[in-house]
Amino acid sequence: MKLSTVQTDAIQELANIGAAHAATTLSTMLGSSVEMSVPAIKAIDISELGTYMGEESAAMVAFELQGEIQHGGYIIFYITKESSIRLTNTMLGLTDMNRSMNEMDESALIEVGNIMVSAFLDATAELLGFIMLPSPPALSLDMAHAAMSSLIAQMGDDVNEVLLFSTELICEEHKIDSDIIMLPESKTLEKIVEMMENMMKGV
Amino acid sequence: MADPVPPNGQTAMIGIGEYRVGSFPMMTIGLGSCIGLTLYDDSLKVGAMVHIMLPESAGREDRPGKYADTAIPLLLKELGAHGCKSRSLVAKMAGGACMFEYFGTNLNIGERNAEKVRALLKEHNIPLIKEDVGGKVGRSVTFHPASGGKVNVRRADGTTGVL
């Protein structure tokens, strides 16, 4: 689906509100301030995915979008491996950066992903009057491209181009850099655009 | 026909749904449920590599390298144009992992990809001599047609292998 400038702006605003809520929850969990980037919407040809997400190790907590639309695509809490160790160290009161990840880290990452994605979707549901619920989370600690391409392969739309909505959340104090990425199916995107347009007409 | 020479004599990077044919090194990074398949003719030191994402094209023709059922006939045709005989070809594959266990509900795509590739190779009488598939790990693969068709696999957990 090709988006007009107005539609892109509308979705950017939606992602902005969702990510602001997620940033607030992250800030509360870490006890320090979290900065947020302007949400970026990128249309990426699947053959070019490797130039955005390559071999780097990252943690991805992925949720299927459910609720009013079944199998609506995915929403992902993405965090680089270095940042994920800093994040779990901060939460667990540890300092060793060179340790390997264990089950405790995995549980902590899933929990953080769960809380942030729930905050994101609560905020967007309130704004749109249209409910998207997260499925139970699934975690991958692996090459970013391997995890992301596997989610794209599972989408119902057999796509050659994916629309990625991503907002960067940065905690300067603990040097934690993370992203919330949405990978909507076309029916979800159409619904979001429609609800946003209705909302703007109503104002 | 696929371009026989890589850009600037470098390793050719093969993205999802793409393929290359020639004697230069070729690479796919971060295979999850996707399959990196190589076909190789030792008498000519020529090979082909493709990055397959899904088992079935369901009639779609726009990206033949993306689907197992269209990728394999395409590679055979391209290799034939380079003078390779299908009876002298051997195959290797890597990938087909399941990266997210929870989402295994609609059957495991990685496993389906690998099974489809195996079945099609059998149909075309091409021996699958080595494979590194399955599990829950991402893989990057480099194919060296000029060095006997060697395939180097690097897994996300830091381990490596040669096919």
Side-chain angles (χ1 to χ4, degrees):
Chain A
M1 165 174 196
K2 289 267 176 283
L3 294 175
S4 69
T5 315
V6 176
Q7 289 170 332
T8 306
D9 288 350
I11 288 169
Q12 215 158 28
E13 187 49 30
L14 181 77
N16 215 3
I17 289 163
H21 280 73
T24 306
T25 58
L26 181 62
S27 169
T28 308
M29 281 187 280
L30 295 173
S32 60
S33 71
V34 172
E35 300 292 318
M36 196 181 103
S37 73
V38 175
I41 301 178
K42 293 189 203 107
I44 299 171
D45 191 283
I46 52 169
S47 65
E48 302 283 322
L49 181 68
T51 59
Y52 295 89
M53 286 190 181
E55 289 182 291
E56 66 279 5
S57 288
M60 283 197 206
V61 190
F63 305 78
E64 195 182 30
L65 290 169
Q66 302 174 340
E68 290 181 38
I69 292 180
Q70 285 299 309
H71 308 297
Y74 295 94
I75 183 163
I76 303 140
F77 173 61
Y78 171 96
I79 179 164
T80 61
K81 196 181 169 200
E82 291 77 27
S83 281
S84 57
I85 293 220
R86 287 194 195 96
L87 174 69
T88 55
N89 274 359
T90 305
M91 291 172 69
L92 304 169
L94 304 171
T95 50
D96 182 6
M97 273 298 296
N98 295 317
R99 65 193 182 82
S100 57
M101 304 280 271
N102 57 34
E103 273 179 33
M104 189 96 102
D105 295 293
E106 294 186 11
S107 307
L109 286 171
I110 288 173
E111 198 46 36
V112 172
N114 215 350
I115 291 169
M116 288 176 67
V117 162
S118 298
F120 185 103
L121 292 178
D122 278 351
T124 54
E126 197 168 320
L127 182 73
L128 289 176
F130 153 61
I131 295 167
M132 289 185 281
L133 296 171
S135 72
L139 172 73
S140 163
L141 283 169
D142 208 293
M143 294 175 181
H145 187 277
M148 189 54 98
S149 60
S150 298
L151 290 177
I152 295 170
Q154 294 204 147
M155 289 177 74
D157 299 338
D158 182 356
V159 290
N160 290 331
E161 195 180 76
V162 287
L163 272 179
L164 286 182
F165 302 69
S166 115
T167 310
E168 216 178 344
L169 301 169
I170 302 158
C171 172
E172 290 283 358
E173 186 189 341
H174 300 295
K175 296 195 168 51
I176 293 166
D177 193 344
S178 67
D179 251 291
I180 289 182
I181 300 170
M182 229 172 130
L183 197 60
E185 298 270 8
S186 56
K187 60 190 175 185
T188 309
L189 189 60
E190 278 161 25
K191 182 77 179 168
I192 291 173
V193 167
E194 180 198 319
M195 299 304 274
M196 288 300 287
E197 280 173 347
N198 288 348
M199 209 176 70
M200 286 187 297
K201 271 182 221 148
V203 177
Chain B
M1 198 168 87
D3 190 352
V5 285
N8 316 316
Q10 304 285 313
T11 299
M13 296 300 294
I14 301 175
I16 297 169
E18 295 183 328
Y19 68 98
R20 298 299 289 266
V21 182
S23 298
F24 49 84
M26 308 173 196
M27 184 179 190
T28 59
I29 61 155
L31 292 165
S33 60
C34 292
I35 300 273
L37 171 70
T38 66
L39 297 182
Y40 173 67
D41 182 336
D42 193 49
S43 60
L44 300 174
K45 309 277 184 222
V46 166
M49 186 184 219
V50 63
H51 188 149
I52 294 167
M53 186 181 213
L54 294 167
E56 310 271 354
S57 62
R60 290 186 65 168
E61 294 171 356
D62 54 337
R63 288 198 196 201
K66 189 174 159 189
Y67 312 95
D69 65 343
T70 46
I72 291 171
L74 170 74
L75 291 195
L76 293 177
K77 193 173 133 218
E78 293 275 351
L79 286 162
H82 280 74
C84 303
K85 303 267 187 299
S86 72
R87 65 172 180 277
S88 52
L89 294 172
V90 291
K92 296 177 183 179
M93 73 166 161
C98 177
M99 304 304 293
F100 293 95
E101 276 162 356
Y102 167 76
F103 299 126
T105 45
N106 54 344
L107 290 172
N108 180 342
I109 289 177
E111 209 169 285
R112 276 165 52 207
N113 279 336
E115 271 168 23
K116 187 72 188 177
V117 168
R118 278 190 206 104
L120 286 161
L121 290 172
K122 199 169 177 195
E123 211 173 281
H124 288 94
N125 292 313
I126 296 166
L128 177 64
I129 57 169
K130 294 270 178 66
E131 63 171 55
D132 178 16
V133 296
K136 190 182 186 255
V137 66
R139 296 167 173 94
S140 287
V141 175
T142 317
F143 174 41
H144 302 276
S147 334
K150 192 174 67 170
V151 172
N152 290 317
V153 181
R154 209 163 53 75
R155 301 179 200 94
D157 56 15
T159 59
T160 56
V162 181
L163 303 182

